[in-house]
């Protein structure tokens, strides 16, 4: 398996607590491939990152508990693109997905 990261902007972790930055750096170090989509944060950069991920995926694995927000719009986009969605927040989701 290959670990690819889609980073919305290079300044993503600038305001994170030190412990989170250390974990982030460890993940970056272990990644096989990193895609940084923008130098700076801008309104909409997370949306662009989410579509970037869906457009390169054969499965959308999510933890969706609300029918609004960024996760919901990403899942809706995945479904529009014909990308199978597995919502692990739903009880028995994995079993139902495997039966399909």
């Amino acid at each position: 398996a290959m670990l690819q990261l889609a980073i919305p902007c290079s300044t993503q972790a600038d305001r994170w607590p030190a412990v989170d930055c250390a974990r982030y750096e460890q993940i970056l170090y272990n990644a096989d491939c990193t895609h940084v989509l923008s130098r700076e944060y801008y309104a909409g950069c997370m949306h662009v990152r989410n579509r970037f991920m869906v457009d390169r995926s054969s499965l959308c694995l999510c933890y969706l508990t609300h029918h609004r927000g960024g996760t919901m719009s990403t899942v809706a986009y995945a479904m529009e693109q014909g990308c199978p969605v597995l919502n692990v927040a739903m009880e028995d989701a994995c079993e139902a997905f495997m039966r399909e």
Side-chain angles (χ1 to χ4, degrees):
M2 188 172 172
L3 175 59
Q4 292 189 48
L5 305 179
I7 311 296
C9 58
S10 59
T11 59
Q12 172 175 284
D14 284 0
R15 296 183 177 191
W16 292 0
V19 67
D20 293 337
C21 287
R23 177 128 192 165
Y24 180 68
E25 290 297 326
Q26 182 182 21
I27 293 168
L28 287 172
Y29 177 79
N30 287 301
D32 297 298
C33 182
T34 303
H35 305 275
V36 180
L37 304 178
S38 174
R39 288 185 185 165
E40 300 289 330
Y41 175 85
Y42 64 90
C45 71
M46 302 298 184
H47 178 77
V48 169
R49 185 270 322 263
N50 293 345
R51 286 185 175 231
F52 178 91
M53 291 189 302
V54 169
D55 291 342
R56 288 153 182 79
S57 298
S58 57
L59 171 68
C60 175
L61 178 65
C62 66
Y63 190 89
L64 178 63
T65 58
H66 298 93
H67 291 102
R68 63 186 185 288
T71 302
M72 181 63 222
S73 65
T74 303
V75 168
Y77 179 71
M79 293 172 72
E80 290 168 7
Q81 299 307 306
C83 185
V85 174
L86 174 55
N87 183 2
V88 297
M90 295 174 56
E91 190 173 329
D92 301 325
C94 292
E95 292 83 4
F97 184 82
M98 296 306 288
R99 284 193 295 267
E100 289 182 4

